[in-house]
Amino acid sequence: MPPTIRIANLNAYKLTIDQPPERWEARATAIKEITPDVLALQEVLVDGALRDGETELERTERCRAEAAGIIERLAADCGLTATTVRADGTSGGIAMANNQHRGWFTAVLWNPDTVRAVPGGFRAHGAPDFWHGFTTIQLDIGAAVPVVIGSYHGDPFRPDFRADEARRLKGALRRTGGAKPGFVLGDFNAISAATITTPDGSTSFYDAEPYSQQDHDDLEYQVLEGTIGKGNLADRRQTEILLRRGFMVDAAAHLGAPWEPTVSHWEDGKGDPDPWGPRRIDLALATRPAAPAVISYQTHRSPAALAASDHLPIIVDVDPAAISRDPEASGG
């Protein structure tokens, strides 16, 4: 195992089976530039509509087969794998999850030369808990204990649902006496509640209020109820739940990394309309036992990354030797 492990995240923007070659190549190039040991992936997209004469079971099997094919192709192009291992040690399915009624998948990929899947460690979380799927897998990254890696995609439309998703997400990382060693990366579709201490000793949000000067129809999706037109305060309840009492830390704020947006680099018309402006909604969170292992954080901004998606990849480097067995280990 290498002395450090690189964990990255990419919302790949509607990654489909029939991608234009240049878009597919941009994604693969960006991933290879990062050289991740572990990659959390969102927005693998298939046609989830029920077709004429198709049963619900047939639709589910078709969607999963198509999504698995996309993920396997991307993994192969980038020198990664997403093939899980069953509890009996035999090869399992692809590490992916979706809400069964929707064709949007999340996934976890990894470098088989540096990381190993723990037998029986894969879980696919879907409806009714998540608008998109939440993929979790236990991986051997060279730490004293296996770590849980989660790939998450937050509900884009309902702040209340995002808060409920956070409770369910937190449940997947809980254990008796505290938190499992693990990392959750993804497109949270919301602003983080992480705070920092300013030079004068006061406390402020790491992510400043992005909506205070905005006035458009979509504010209800991101702003606290009752504050539209009265400051437009970002709804941060989702990460407030996850960060409470240091159960998890936001890697960027935890390290005091320079603030960088992960979205808004695509002008309207290139992708979906974006009324929001520069924001950081792609996050990397580490649980209490894993937080001391986080040694660096960055946003990957290259020509390939800028072309690949409306979300930029984020990268966290981790020292496996610093991951604690203790569920109540200090997050710093």
Side-chain angles (χ1 to χ4, degrees), residues 53 86 142 164 197 267:
R86 298 188 181 95
D164 285 340
T197 301
E267 67 276 9

PDB file of all heavy atoms in Angstrom, residues 53 86 142 164 197 267:
ATOM      1  N   GLY A  53     -44.742  -2.643 -22.416  1.00  0.00           N
ATOM      2  CA  GLY A  53     -44.599  -4.079 -22.251  1.00  0.00           C
ATOM      3  C   GLY A  53     -43.555  -4.506 -21.241  1.00  0.00           C
ATOM      4  O   GLY A  53     -43.334  -5.707 -21.036  1.00  0.00           O
ATOM      5  N   ARG A  86     -18.224 -10.390  -2.776  1.00  0.00           N
ATOM      6  CA  ARG A  86     -19.246 -10.915  -1.867  1.00  0.00           C
ATOM      7  C   ARG A  86     -18.609 -11.444  -0.586  1.00  0.00           C
ATOM      8  O   ARG A  86     -17.398 -11.660  -0.508  1.00  0.00           O
ATOM      9  CB  ARG A  86     -20.039 -12.021  -2.556  1.00  0.00           C
ATOM     10  CG  ARG A  86     -20.793 -11.569  -3.794  1.00  0.00           C
ATOM     11  CD  ARG A  86     -21.702 -12.689  -4.299  1.00  0.00           C
ATOM     12  NE  ARG A  86     -22.426 -12.284  -5.503  1.00  0.00           N
ATOM     13  CZ  ARG A  86     -22.031 -12.548  -6.743  1.00  0.00           C
ATOM     14  NH1 ARG A  86     -20.896 -13.227  -6.942  1.00  0.00           N
ATOM     15  NH2 ARG A  86     -22.744 -12.151  -7.770  1.00  0.00           N
ATOM     16  N   GLY A 142      -5.079   0.343   3.516  1.00  0.00           N
ATOM     17  CA  GLY A 142      -3.815   0.266   4.225  1.00  0.00           C
ATOM     18  C   GLY A 142      -3.872   0.787   5.639  1.00  0.00           C
ATOM     19  O   GLY A 142      -2.840   0.865   6.315  1.00  0.00           O
ATOM     20  N   ASP A 164     -33.255  15.107   5.860  1.00  0.00           N
ATOM     21  CA  ASP A 164     -33.590  13.713   6.157  1.00  0.00           C
ATOM     22  C   ASP A 164     -32.548  12.763   5.568  1.00  0.00           C
ATOM     23  O   ASP A 164     -32.180  11.759   6.194  1.00  0.00           O
ATOM     24  CB  ASP A 164     -34.973  13.374   5.615  1.00  0.00           C
ATOM     25  CG  ASP A 164     -36.092  13.960   6.460  1.00  0.00           C
ATOM     26  OD1 ASP A 164     -35.832  14.283   7.639  1.00  0.00           O
ATOM     27  OD2 ASP A 164     -37.213  14.097   5.946  1.00  0.00           O
ATOM     28  N   THR A 197     -12.259  29.678  12.219  1.00  0.00           N
ATOM     29  CA  THR A 197     -11.935  30.773  13.130  1.00  0.00           C
ATOM     30  C   THR A 197     -11.181  31.839  12.347  1.00  0.00           C
ATOM     31  O   THR A 197     -10.159  31.556  11.711  1.00  0.00           O
ATOM     32  CB  THR A 197     -11.088  30.281  14.305  1.00  0.00           C
ATOM     33  OG1 THR A 197     -11.807  29.262  15.002  1.00  0.00           O
ATOM     34  CG2 THR A 197     -10.766  31.420  15.265  1.00  0.00           C
ATOM     35  N   GLU A 267     -21.030  28.304 -18.653  1.00  0.00           N
ATOM     36  CA  GLU A 267     -21.973  29.376 -18.918  1.00  0.00           C
ATOM     37  C   GLU A 267     -23.334  28.782 -19.302  1.00  0.00           C
ATOM     38  O   GLU A 267     -23.422  27.659 -19.778  1.00  0.00           O
ATOM     39  CB  GLU A 267     -21.455  30.280 -20.052  1.00  0.00           C
ATOM     40  CG  GLU A 267     -21.384  29.611 -21.416  1.00  0.00           C
ATOM     41  CD  GLU A 267     -20.125  28.820 -21.658  1.00  0.00           C
ATOM     42  OE1 GLU A 267     -19.336  28.635 -20.694  1.00  0.00           O
ATOM     43  OE2 GLU A 267     -19.931  28.358 -22.801  1.00  0.00           O
TER      44      GLU A 267
END
